[in-house]
Amino acid sequence: DLVTDFCLNIGIRRQLDAFRDGFNGVFPMEKLHAFSPDELVTLICGDQYPNWSREDILNYTEPKQGYTKESPGFQRFVSVLCELNADERKAFVQFVTGCSSLPPGGLANLHPRLSVARKNETETSYPSVNTCYHYLKLPEYSSEEILRDRLLTATREKQFHFN
């Protein structure tokens, strides 16, 4: 009990007080009761398992450098994103933005907007990103299956960063 009290209370009291004072300076603690615990987590940490619709992707993603909203390659990309499960969406967001969550409000509040540019390489190559600008460079793949495979491989890669 003494060790637990020290680790979770006495030993970190100064840090907790500093955190509380800093947080209170931004958002008064007495106002927090207006939010549920889940709402607070979303406000502070963003959407941990982002969800989006086809319309969200079309409205809040900017095709560039050879892609348009109507181009087959971009439409395949939209379809693949719509089919991702929660863990795959989270990995995609991490890959493209450098952060594992979207801001509250999802893609609509991502700034700068997610951009998808055509990467002039063969379909054996992988997507690459510029995370600072949320800029995905995507080769023109001939099928959704190939696009999905290359995209998920790129999102799982931890040792080598695709350029």
Side-chain angles (χ1 to χ4, degrees):
D1 287 344
L2 291 174
V3 170
T4 301
D5 186 49
F6 179 78
C7 290
L8 299 176
N9 189 14
I10 297 168
I12 59 171
R13 173 59 46 208
R14 285 182 34 230
Q15 290 88 346
L16 286 174
D17 289 343
F19 176 81
R20 186 191 64 241
D21 293 344
F23 190 93
N24 196 45
V26 175
F27 192 92
M29 294 285 215
E30 64 271 6
K31 306 282 187 193
L32 292 179
H33 71 278
F35 299 99
S36 72
D38 288 340
E39 289 172 326
L40 283 174
V41 168
T42 300
L43 285 172
I44 294 169
C45 302
D47 189 354
Q48 294 300 300
Y49 287 95
N51 202 2
W52 47 66
S53 67
R54 179 178 268 304
E55 292 74 30
D56 291 335
I57 299 166
L58 291 171
N59 289 332
Y60 305 116
T61 302
E62 298 176 3
K64 295 185 175 192
Q65 302 292 321
Y67 281 133
T68 66
K69 290 194 188 273
E70 296 79 29
S71 62
F74 184 76
Q75 287 296 316
R76 283 190 285 274
F77 167 73
V78 172
S79 294
V80 167
L81 280 191
C82 289
E83 295 169 2
L84 297 179
N85 67 38
D87 289 328
E88 292 166 340
R89 287 191 307 269
K90 185 174 181 133
F92 173 77
V93 169
Q94 175 76 48
F95 177 66
V96 173
T97 68
C99 182
S100 63
S101 61
L102 287 174
L107 288 173
N109 290 328
L110 183 65
H111 297 287
R113 294 265 189 236
L114 174 61
S115 296
V116 181
R118 185 169 181 194
K119 185 177 182 181
N120 291 319
E121 294 187 15
T122 66
E123 67 177 26
T124 59
S125 65
Y126 292 88
S128 59
V129 296
N130 182 326
T131 56
C132 295
Y133 299 103
H134 310 148
Y135 194 84
L136 175 66
K137 296 169 267 182
L138 188 70
E140 177 89 25
Y141 296 110
S142 60
S143 71
E144 289 180 20
E145 293 76 23
I146 294 171
L147 191 156
R148 179 181 173 82
D149 175 68
R150 298 293 189 276
L151 185 63
L152 292 179
T153 298
T155 64
R156 287 189 299 264
E157 184 58 48
K158 302 291 186 220
Q159 302 302 317
F160 178 77
H161 298 283
F162 296 106
N163 289 317

